[in-house]
Amino acid sequence: MDAYAAKPVLVGADAVPLNANTPRPSRDEALKAVRTLLAWAGDDPDREGLKDTPKRVVDAYAEWFEGYDADPAKELSRTFEDVQGYDDMVLLRDIEVESHCEHHMAPFLGKAYVAYLPTEKVVGISKIARVVEIFSKRLQTQEVLTNQIAAAIEDHLAPAGVAVLIDAEHQCMTTRGVHHRHVSTITTRFTGAFKSDPALTERFLKLAKG
Ligand SMILES: [Zn+2]
């Protein structure tokens, strides 16, 4: 557990891990919980096709929520200072977002676009994508996810500005409830120069979606 998990928007010295008061149940308890859901849905958990389903679901959960056991701060801790005067934006486009909404545990899928304006520190670009992945692989709202990515980059790279845009479809909205197919949600977070300089914001949006 890292500091970002506890404070949805920013880190704080008083950050407490999310599961501090709820110790993690055993794998066996998780298997039983899935079995209960299968029976509750109306099926027979003992029939052939469902016999191994609890095991498969628990394994899938371990993968979908592996972000709780990873630390974005660690990914961003190795920075490089020799940028040879490069001072324009670094922009990553089309980073896959595979997350789950915290209200329904339903997937929301889309893309993230992340840019920052380096001052003296840059980070390996794969690390930015990894930070998106770590925060995505937790129960999220798209708004908080957007803010957490920006906050982590801000904290570790001290850039002149950060821009994050996420464009995603929420299956809790497309496959249930209102059943609005193909509605996508866009969230953005701009800091520093991306916030104060409309021309820069514009350039980011153009490059991101272009
Ligand atoms: Zn939802």
Side-chain angles (χ1 to χ4, degrees):
M1 266 302 174
D2 56 88
Y4 297 99
K7 295 269 159 181
V9 178
L10 282 170
V11 232
D14 56 341
V16 179
L18 278 181
N19 62 355
N21 300 314
T22 318
R24 192 173 275 198
S26 68
R27 181 178 165 89
D28 220 45
E29 288 174 288
L31 292 170
K32 282 192 188 119
V34 177
R35 194 186 147 85
T36 300
L37 281 176
L38 289 171
W40 182 82
D43 214 315
D44 171 12
D46 290 319
R47 75 176 170 82
E48 189 58 31
L50 292 181
K51 249 180 27 204
D52 290 328
T53 297
K55 186 185 154 309
R56 283 186 292 256
V57 171
V58 166
D59 289 343
Y61 266 45
E63 201 177 325
W64 288 333
F65 301 115
E66 60 104 24
Y68 288 108
D69 296 319
D71 184 357
K74 211 165 112 195
E75 301 295 329
L76 295 172
S77 62
R78 265 197 66 194
T79 55
F80 304 93
E81 301 196 351
D82 181 18
V83 292
Q84 308 210 348
Y86 184 85
D87 63 355
D88 202 4
M89 77 169 84
V90 176
L91 167 67
L92 273 82
R93 297 200 310 190
D94 297 322
I95 306 168
E96 289 306 333
V97 170
E98 297 174 339
S99 192
H100 287 77
C101 80
E102 66 182 28
H103 302 129
H104 303 93
M105 297 181 82
F108 65 93
L109 306 171
K111 306 258 192 200
Y113 306 81
V114 180
Y116 70 102
L117 277 173
T119 46
E120 74 268 26
K121 284 191 273 188
V122 296
V123 72
I125 43 180
S126 67
K127 303 293 185 187
I128 302 272
R130 176 69 183 138
V131 166
V132 171
E133 188 184 19
I134 291 172
F135 284 128
S136 296
K137 294 201 163 177
R138 298 175 179 179
L139 291 167
Q140 282 289 7
T141 70
Q142 191 177 323
E143 295 86 342
V144 170
L145 175 61
T146 306
N147 280 352
Q148 286 178 333
I149 295 164
I153 294 169
E154 185 108 322
D155 283 356
H156 289 273
L157 303 183
V162 180
V164 179
L165 182 151
I166 296 177
D167 183 350
E169 280 187 30
H170 292 246
Q171 290 185 6
C172 60
M173 196 178 166
T174 57
T175 68
R176 57 162 291 289
V178 290
H179 294 275
H180 284 302
R181 295 271 158 159
H182 314 300
V183 173
S184 72
T185 305
I186 290 182
T187 47
T188 57
R189 167 98 174 150
F190 299 112
T191 73
F194 284 104
K195 194 171 186 168
S196 59
D197 179 355
L200 190 64
T201 317
E202 183 90 356
R203 233 179 103 218
F204 164 76
L205 293 172
K206 226 181 223 160
L207 286 169
K209 288 305 219 172

